[in-house]
C-alpha cells in the first residue's frame, strides 16, 4: 500500500491505495465522489474525465499514485456556493444531457476546451474536440450547443 | 406562474443532480459489508464443459463463496425464460432451449457465465476468478444465421425429434420457429400477375446497444424475514420482479423489492432478465451479506443482448400505374445462443406488421425463420423490429423507383394511406396520420428540388453527392393487453399504472410504473400534473423505479411511456380532480359543477370565491369538516390499457457527400419531419429525435457487432473495435420539424417518439449513398472500405 496525498475539490486528502489502483477507483470507492463514471475501460469514452492540475485527464487510465501531490477537480467541485458553473447551467438550458451518465465527463471536456481554446468556440471545433467523449443518448446536437453557450459565459 | 404545462419546452428538473455529479446509478450504491461478484465466462463459442475445478480459487484471499449452475439448480433456481410464445406456421411451438443462469454441461456463446466468484473486494474476486480451472471440449461453432440453418450446421441445442410436419421432414436443428403473417397465396398471385416486380437482398447488421452505463446489480438479503432488495439497472422493475419470482424462483414476489435508481441509458438492453441479477440474489442469500456486480464494458459487449441481425429477401409488385399490388418478405433472424426475454417478439409482431409502411399494399406475406447461433442472445434494441422492417421496405421502394425510372417521392406518394383508421393486411390498424403532409414538409425543408445544383457544385469539388428518402411508420405502446397479450402470445399484460398523491400541504407526487432512463420523465410527468392544477412543476415530484413505492408498472420500452404512462397519470389526475372539486365545492358551499381550476386555485365560476389547492388538500387530510360521503385523503390510482397501439410516422431526407479517394461519407444535411401526435415538451422530444437519428446513423455507417465465423469470437468487443458515433459524425446540418396529428387512442393524443429516429434514419442514409454511387450493392455499415471497393469495382466495370 502507498500513501497518496492530493487536494480534491479544494480539500486536502490522504489515501492508502495499492499501486494497481486507478485514480477513478480512489475517487469513487474511497472518497465517495461517484459523479465521476467509468463507462468503457479502454480510455475511449471520457465519462471519467477529471481535471488534474487544471488539465482534463481520464481518471480510468491514471493510477492513483500518479496523482500524488496533484490538485484534482471533479464534477462535484464545479458548482460554487450552490451556483452552477456556467458549463453546468448551459447543459441544463440546452438539454445537453439525457441519461446523465456521460454528462460529468462532457462538462469537464467543455471546461477544458475553454482553457485550451478560449471562450469563442465554433461548432466544428467542439465536434472535433469531443473526439474522446461518447454519448449514446443525445446525438451530440445539444451537447455541442451547450458547450458553445457555456464557453461563451465562462 | 411560468408556463410549465403541456406544450412548454421546460428545462429538465432532473438535470441538476446529473450536472453536479449527484446522480445515483446502481454502481454508486454501496452497502455496509458488501461482497463483490465476478463471473468466469466462457472463452469458447461452443463447447462441452468437461470439468470445473474450484480448489485453487476457493483458497484465494478474500473468497467467500463460489457458485455454479449445478448448485443453483439444486437450490430450485429455474432457467431464464423467453416471455412471448410464437407458434410456427405448422402449429409447432417455438423451441426454447434450456438457459441456466450459470452454464451447466455446455456453453453456447463467448461470454456465457459459468461460475460466480464472491469475495470481499472486487480485485480479490477477479484474482480468484483467474484461478478457476475449467476444462472444455470445444465444438464447431456457427455465428451466421443462414449457415445455422444448413443441414451440416452444428446443433446448438438438443431437441427431441419433432414429429410435426416441417418443409423437409424434420426441422433444421437450429430452427426456433418458422412463422408467417399474411396471405401467401394471394401475395404470390399478386406478384405473378403484376406488371413490375422489384427484388432486393439485404442484411440488417447486428448492433450492440451500448448504453453508457453498463449493467450493474446490488443484491441485499435480510435473513430475519427472508426479504430481498435488488438495486438494478433495469428499464422495468416490476416486470423483472415477476420474472425473478414467479418464473426463476430466486425470491418470492412479496419479499423482493426492486429499486432502479438513476439508469444510464438502456436502448432495450435493460429490459431483459440476465444471469447476473439471479446469481447475485442467490449469492446474497447464501452469504447473508450484500453482493455487488458492475459490468465492465468488455462484459457489456459480450453479454448485453444485441440487436437486429436479419438476412432478408423481399420483392414488391406494382401495376402499370405503379400502384403497389403485393409485398413478399422472407427473413432469417438470428436470436443467438439462447432465447432472451422478448427475443421471439422482435422479428415477428414488432417486425412483420410494420412492413405495410405508410402504403396501401393489398397483399403482404412475411415469413420469418428464427435460428440459434453461437452468439450472445439477440433481443430489442432501440426500435426493435421496426428499424428492420423500415429498412427492407424503404430500400426496396427506392430501388424500385430507380429501376422503373419513376420519381422516388412520387412513387411513395402515389401509394400512401390516406384514409384512417386504416386496416393493413398484416394485423395493425393505423390510428391517424397525414403522410402527404410529412413528405411535402420534408421535401421542402430539405430543398429536394434544388438537389441537382448541389450535386453539380459538389462534383466540382471532387465529391459525390447523393440524396435519399425514408418514410417510416412506427407502432408504439406495446399494447393493448387484450391484443398483444391475449391473442399474440405475451406472457404479461401491457397496461400502465399511476398513482397521484396530493400531500396535505398541496404538493403533488406522481408515482408511475414506467422507468425513465434519459427520456426526461421527471419533467414530462410533472408538466402534465402541473398543467392540471396550474401549479409550478417544482411543486410536483415524480417517483419511478421502486417496487415498494410504485405499486405496479410495466416499465419503459417500445416508446410506451408517451402513450401508456402519461395516460395512466392523466386518468389518475381525473380522479383527483373529481374528488378535489367535491371538497372545494363543500368548502365554498357551491355546486361541484360550478368549480373551475386555474393557477392552483379552485373558484366558483362567476364569483370571486375561491380556495387554494392547499386548502383543499389540507381539508382532505384534517377531515374536520367534510361530509361523511367523502373519504379522507387526496390520492388516487389509475390503470390505463389503451384500445390500440399508436402509429407515429415521419419523413426523413438525408444528403451525403462521398470522397471517392477515401470512400468516406459525410452526412451534410439531415431533415426529419415527425408526427408524434401531440407533444408535452418539444425540447425533450426533439432530443429523442436527435439521439435516435444518430443511433441509426451509427448502424448505417459505423457499427457492426462482428463475430469471427470460425471461432465465434466477438471481434468488435470494445470501443476500440466497435465504432460508436462521435460528435464529429454529426450531420453537418440537422433540421427537425413536427407535424401534429393526435392519436384517438389515448387521452392526450400522444404517439411516442423514442425510437423513431433509429427506425427512419438507416434507409434514408443508405438511400443517399446508393444514390451518390449509382449502385444498390451497399450494405450496412457503409464503411469507407466498402464504399471505396464499390467505387473501384464500378470503375473497373465502366
Amino acid at each position: 500500500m502507498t500513501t497518496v496525498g492530493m487536494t480534491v475539490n479544494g480539500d486536502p486528502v490522504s489515501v492508502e491505495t495499492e499501486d494497481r489502483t486507478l485514480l477513478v477507483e480512489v475517487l469513487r470507492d474511497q472518497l465517495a465522489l461517484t459523479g465521476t463514471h467509468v463507462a468503457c475501460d479502454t480510455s475511449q469514452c471520457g465519462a471519467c474525465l477529471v481535471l488534474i492540475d487544471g488539465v482534463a485527464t481520464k481518471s480510468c487510465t491514471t493510477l492513483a499514485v500518479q496523482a500524488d501531490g496533484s490538485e484534482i477537480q471533479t464534477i462535484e467541485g464545479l458548482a460554487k456556493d450552490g451556483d452552477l458553473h456556467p458549463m453546468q447551467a448551459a447543459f441544463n438550458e440546452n438539454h445537453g444531457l439525457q441519461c446523465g451518465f456521460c454528462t460529468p465527463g462532457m462538462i469537464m471536456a467543455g471546461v477544458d476546451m475553454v482553457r485550451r481554446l478560449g471562450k469563442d468556440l465554433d461548432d466544428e471545433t467542439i465536434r472535433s474536440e469531443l473526439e474522446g467523449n461518447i454519448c449514446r443518448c443525445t446525438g451530440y446536437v445539444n451537447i455541442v450547443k451547450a458547450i458553445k453557450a457555456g464557453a461563451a459565459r465562462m | 406562474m411560468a408556463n410549465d404545462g403541456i406544450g412548454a419546452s421546460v428545462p429538465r428538473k432532473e438535470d441538476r443532480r446529473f450536472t453536479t455529479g449527484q446522480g445515483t446509478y446502481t454502481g454508486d450504491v454501496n452497502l455496509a459489508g458488501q461482497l463483490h461478484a465476478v463471473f468466469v465466462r466462457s472463452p469458447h463459442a461452443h463447447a462441452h464443459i468437461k470439468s470445473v475445478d474450484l480448489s485453487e480459487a476457493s483458497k484465494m484471499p478474500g473468497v467467500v463463496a463460489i457458485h455454479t449452475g449445478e448448485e443453483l439448480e439444486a437450490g430450485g433456481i429455474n432457467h431464464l425464460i423467453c416471455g412471448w410464445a410464437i407458434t410456427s406456421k405448422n402449429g409447432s411451438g417455438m423451441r426454447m432451449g434450456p438457459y441456466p443462469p450459470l452454464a451447466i454441461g455446455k456453453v453456447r456463446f463467448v461470454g456465457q457465465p459459468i461460475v460466480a466468484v464472491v469475495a470481499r473486494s472486487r480485485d480479490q474476486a477477479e484474482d480468484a476468478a483467474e484461478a478457476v480451472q475449467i476444462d472444455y471440449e470445444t465444438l464447431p461453432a456457427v455465428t451466421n444465421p443462414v449457415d445455422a440453418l444448413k443441414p451440416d450446421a452444428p446443433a446448438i441445442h438438443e431437441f427431441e425429434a419433432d414429429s410435426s410436419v416441417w418443409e423437409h421432414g424434420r426441422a433444421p436443428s437450429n430452427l426456433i420457429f418458422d412463422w408467417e403473417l399474411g396471405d401467401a397465396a394471394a401475395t404470390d398471385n399478386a406478384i405473378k400477375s403484376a406488371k413490375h416486380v422489384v427484388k432486393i437482398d439485404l442484411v440488417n447488421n447486428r448492433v450492440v446497444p451500448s448504453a453508457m452505463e453498463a449493467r450493474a446489480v446490488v443484491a441485499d438479503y435480510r435473513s430475519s424475514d427472508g426479504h430481498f432488495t435488488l438495486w438494478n439497472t433495469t428499464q422495468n422493475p416490476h416486470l423483472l420482479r415477476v420474472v425473478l419470482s414467479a418464473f426463476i424462483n430466486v425470491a418470492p414476489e412479496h419479499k423482493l423489492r426492486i429499486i432502479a435508481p438513476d439508469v444510464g441509458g438502456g436502448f432495450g438492453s435493460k429490459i431483459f432478465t440476465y444471469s447476473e441479477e439471479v446469481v447475485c440474489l442467490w449469492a446474497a442469500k447464501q452469504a447473508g451479506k450484500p453482493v455487488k456486480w458492475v459490468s465492465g464494458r468488455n462484459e457489456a459487449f459480450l453479454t448485453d443482448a444485441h440487436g437486429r441481425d436479419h438476412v432478408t429477401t423481399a420483392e414488391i409488385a406494382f401495376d402499370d400505374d405503379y400502384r403497389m399490388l403485393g409485398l413478399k418478405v422472407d427473413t432469417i433472424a438470428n436470436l443467438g445462443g439462447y432465447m432472451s426475454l422478448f427475443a421471439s417478439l422482435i422479428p415477428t409482431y414488432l417486425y412483420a406488421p410494420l412492413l405495410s409502411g405508410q402504403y396501401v399494399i393489398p397483399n403482404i406475406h412475411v415469413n420469418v425463420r428464427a435460428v440459434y447461433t453461437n452468439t450472445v442472445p439477440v433481443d430489442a434494441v432501440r426500435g426493435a423490429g421496426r428499424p428492420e422492417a423500415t429498412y427492407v421496405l424503404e430500400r426496396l421502394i427506392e430501388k424500385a423507383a430507380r429501376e422503373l425510372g419513376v420519381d422516388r417521392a412520387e412513387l411513395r406518394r402515389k401509394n400512401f394511406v390516406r384514409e384512417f383508421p386504416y386496416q393493413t393486411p398484416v394485423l395493425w390498424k393505423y390510428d391517424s396520420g397525414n403522410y402527404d403532409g410529412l413528405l411535402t414538409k420534408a421535401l421542402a425543408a430539405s430543398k429536394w428540388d434544388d438537389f441537382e445544383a448541389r450535386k453539380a457544385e459538389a462534383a466540382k469539388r471532387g465529391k459525390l453527392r447523393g440524396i435519399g428518402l425514408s418514410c417510416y411508420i412506427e407502432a408504439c405502446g406495446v399494447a393493448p393487453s387484450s391484443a398483444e397479450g391475449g391473442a399474440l402470445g405475451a406472457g404479461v399484460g401491457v397496461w400502465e399504472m399511476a398513482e397521484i398523491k396530493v400531500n396535505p400541504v398541496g404538493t403533488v407526487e406522481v408515482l408511475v410504473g414506467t422507468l425513465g432512463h434519459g427520456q426526461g420523465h421527471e419533467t414530462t410527468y410533472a408538466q402534465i400534473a402541473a398543467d392540471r392544477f396550474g401549479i409550478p412543476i417544482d411543486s410536483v415530484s415524480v417517483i419511478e423505479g421502486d417496487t415498494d413505492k410504485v405499486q405496479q408498472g410495466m416499465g419503459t420500452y417500445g416508446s410506451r411511456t408517451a402513450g401508456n404512462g402519461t395516460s395512466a397519470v392523466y386518468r389518475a389526475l381525473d380522479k383527483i380532480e373529481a374528488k378535489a372539486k367535491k371538497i372545494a365545492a363543500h368548502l365554498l358551499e357551491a355546486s361541484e359543477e360550478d368549480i373551475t381550476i386555474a393557477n392552483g386555485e379552485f373558484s366558483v365560476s362567476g364569483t370571486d370565491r375561491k380556495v387554494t389547492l392547499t386548502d383543499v388538500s389540507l381539508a382532505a387530510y384534517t377531515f374536520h369538516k367534510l361530509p361523511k360521503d367523502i373519504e379522507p385523503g387526496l390520492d388516487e390510482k389509475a390503470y390505463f390499457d389503451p384500445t390500440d397501439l399508436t402509429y407515429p410516422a415521419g419523413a426523413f431526407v438525408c444528403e451525403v457527400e462521398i470522397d471517392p479517394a477515401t470512400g468516406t461519407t459525410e452526412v451534410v444535411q439531415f431533415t426529419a419531419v415527425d408526427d408524434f401526435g401531440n407533444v408535452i415538451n418539444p425540447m425533450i422530444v426533439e432530443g429523442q429525435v436527435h439521439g435516435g437519428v444518430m443511433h441509426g446513423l451509427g448502424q448505417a455507417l459505423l457499427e457492426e457487432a462482428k463475430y469471427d465465423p470460425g471461432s465465434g469470437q466477438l471481434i468488435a468487443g470494445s470501443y476500440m473495435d466497435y465504432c460508436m458515433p462521435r460528435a464529429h459524425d454529426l450531420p453537418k446540418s440537422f433540421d427537425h420539424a413536427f407535424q401534429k396529428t393526435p392519436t384517438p387512442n389515448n387521452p392526450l393524443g400522444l404517439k411516442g417518439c423514442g425510437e423513431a429516429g433509429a427506425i427512419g434514419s438507416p434507409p434514408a442514409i443508405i438511400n443517399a449513398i446508393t444514390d451518390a454511387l449509382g449502385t444498390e450493392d451497399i450494405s450496412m455499415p457503409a464503411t469507407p472500405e466498402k464504399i471505396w471497393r464499390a467505387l473501384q469495382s464500378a470503375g473497373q466495370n465502366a
Side-chain angles (χ1 to χ4, degrees), chain A residues 28 37-40 45 47 99-103 134-137, chain B residues 18 23-29 209-217 231-235 259-267 269-270 293-297 300 304 515-518 719 724:
Chain A
R28 289 180 52 81
H37 298 146
V38 178
C40 77
C45 79
C99 82
F101 202 77
C102 76
T103 309
I134 302 178
C135 168
R136 184 57 130 179
C137 295
Chain B
F18 296 131
T24 304
Y25 300 88
T26 300
D28 301 336
V29 174
S210 200
M212 292 316 294
E213 180 208 25
R215 292 185 296 115
V217 178
W231 284 262
N232 187 217
T233 47
T234 175
Q235 297 176 219
I259 300 172
D262 290 323
V263 176
F267 312 104
S269 66
K270 293 171 182 170
W293 169 76
V294 179
S295 172
R297 182 56 57 184
D304 289 359
L515 196 282
H517 43 288
Y719 288 148
M724 286 281 282

Side-chain angles (χ1 to χ4, degrees), chain A residues 20 28 34-35 37 39-41 44 75 82 84 88 92 95 97-101 127 131 136-141, chain B residues 12 15-16 19 25 27-28 123 208-209 212 264-265 267 297 518 683 687-688 690-691 695 703 725-726 730-731:
Chain A
R20 65 175 171 175
R28 289 180 52 81
T34 54
H37 298 146
C40 77
D41 304 323
Q44 299 288 302
I75 189 71
L84 291 181
Q88 291 172 311
N92 169 243
H95 190 29
L97 65 151
Q98 290 183 21
C99 82
F101 202 77
R127 288 176 188 203
E131 193 190 16
R136 184 57 130 179
C137 295
T138 63
Y140 305 99
V141 179
Chain B
R12 302 196 320 171
D15 284 359
R16 193 168 175 106
T19 56
Y25 300 88
D28 301 336
D123 286 344
V208 175
M212 292 316 294
F267 312 104
R297 182 56 57 184
M683 181 184 73
Q688 292 294 306
H690 295 156
H695 206 143
E703 299 179 37
R726 302 198 186 221
L730 242 178

Side-chain angles (χ1 to χ4, degrees), chain B residues 259-284:
Chain B
I259 300 172
D262 290 323
V263 176
F267 312 104
S269 66
K270 293 171 182 170
I271 299 172
F272 324 118
T273 315
Y274 290 92
S275 297
E276 291 84 2
E277 45 255 24
V278 178
V279 174
C280 288
L281 283 167
W282 171 262

Side-chain angles (χ1 to χ4, degrees), chain B residues 428-501:
Chain B
W428 292 165
K429 189 157 100 181
Y430 298 163
D431 52 358
S432 63
N434 173 5
Y435 306 150
D436 284 297
L438 289 166
L439 180 59
T440 301
K441 283 189 186 78
L443 295 180
S446 64
K447 301 189 176 62
W448 177 275
D449 290 340
D450 306 332
F451 171 71
E452 288 306 322
R454 296 193 294 275
K455 186 184 172 86
E457 186 278 326
K460 281 187 205 153
R461 290 181 281 113
K463 297 285 176 70
L464 300 167
R465 194 156 173 135
I467 193 165
L469 179 60
S470 159
C471 297
Y472 76 85
I473 186 97
E474 193 180 352
C476 289
V478 193
S481 300
S482 52
E484 298 222 340
L488 306 184
V492 291
V494 277
W495 38 261
E496 197 41 79
M497 191 226 76
E499 185 184 355
I500 309 286
K501 292 200 291 187

Side-chain angles (χ1 to χ4, degrees), chain B residues 39-49 107-115 132-139 141 302 374 707 710-714:
Chain B
F39 290 83
V40 179
R41 301 180 181 279
S42 173
H44 302 296
H46 200 191
H48 287 301
I49 300 169
V107 284
R108 295 176 175 87
F109 67 92
V110 172
Q112 186 177 352
I114 303 167
V115 166
V132 171
Q133 295 294 321
I134 300 177
D135 188 19
Y136 301 92
E137 177 196 340
T138 56
L139 298 165
L302 291 174
N374 294 111
Y707 280 88
S711 67
Q713 295 293 329
L714 181 62

Side-chain angles (χ1 to χ4, degrees), chain B residues 108-325:
Chain B
R108 295 176 175 87
F109 67 92
V110 172
Q112 186 177 352
I114 303 167
V115 166
V117 178
V118 178
R120 296 195 199 289
S121 78
R122 178 160 175 160
D123 286 344
Q124 289 173 328
E126 272 173 4
D127 291 344
E130 292 279 324
V132 171
Q133 295 294 321
I134 300 177
D135 188 19
Y136 301 92
E137 177 196 340
T138 56
L139 298 165
V142 62
T143 57
N144 179 294
V146 176
D147 293 342
L149 279 178
K150 290 177 179 163
D152 59 349
I156 294 168
H157 289 276
E158 298 72 36
F159 297 108
E160 296 288 312
D162 198 328
S163 59
S164 52
V165 182
W166 296 86
E167 203 173 340
H168 304 291
R170 233 188 116 177
S173 53
N174 295 319
L175 185 75
I176 299 170
F177 55 76
D178 184 352
W179 173 91
E180 67 178 344
L181 185 66
D183 189 331
T187 307
D188 283 341
N189 284 337
I191 290 172
K192 247 181 246 160
S193 60
K195 170 94 174 182
H196 309 287
V197 177
V198 177
K199 198 171 168 185
I200 200 163
D201 295 314
L202 294 171
V203 172
N204 201 287
N205 48 323
R206 185 181 180 108
V207 294
V208 175
S210 200
M212 292 316 294
E213 180 208 25
R215 292 185 296 115
V217 178
V218 179
D220 192 23
Y221 179 71
R222 190 169 64 214
S223 60
S224 56
D225 58 350
H227 186 279
F228 295 84
T229 304
L230 178 72
W231 284 262
N232 187 217
T233 47
T234 175
Q235 297 176 219
N236 33 242
H238 296 86
L239 185 57
L240 177 63
R241 185 165 78 143
V242 79
V243 172
L244 287 171
S245 57
F247 294 95
I248 298 178
N249 197 35
V250 67
E253 192 172 10
H254 64 304
K255 293 185 178 183
L256 173 58
R257 176 185 185 185
I258 295 185
I259 300 172
D262 290 323
V263 176
F267 312 104
S269 66
K270 293 171 182 170
I271 299 172
F272 324 118
T273 315
Y274 290 92
S275 297
E276 291 84 2
E277 45 255 24
V278 178
V279 174
C280 288
L281 283 167
W282 171 262
K285 183 178 175 181
Q286 306 313 310
K289 286 188 174 155
V291 174
K292 180 172 182 174
W293 169 76
V294 179
S295 172
R297 182 56 57 184
N298 59 332
E299 288 181 292
F301 271 96
L302 291 174
T303 66
D304 289 359
H306 290 181
R308 322 284 191 251
D309 209 342
H310 284 194
V311 178
T312 294
T313 297
E315 50 188 328
I316 190 163
F318 299 89
D319 68 11
D320 52 4
D321 191 31
Y322 304 110
R323 286 193 190 279
M324 295 173 184
L325 296 174

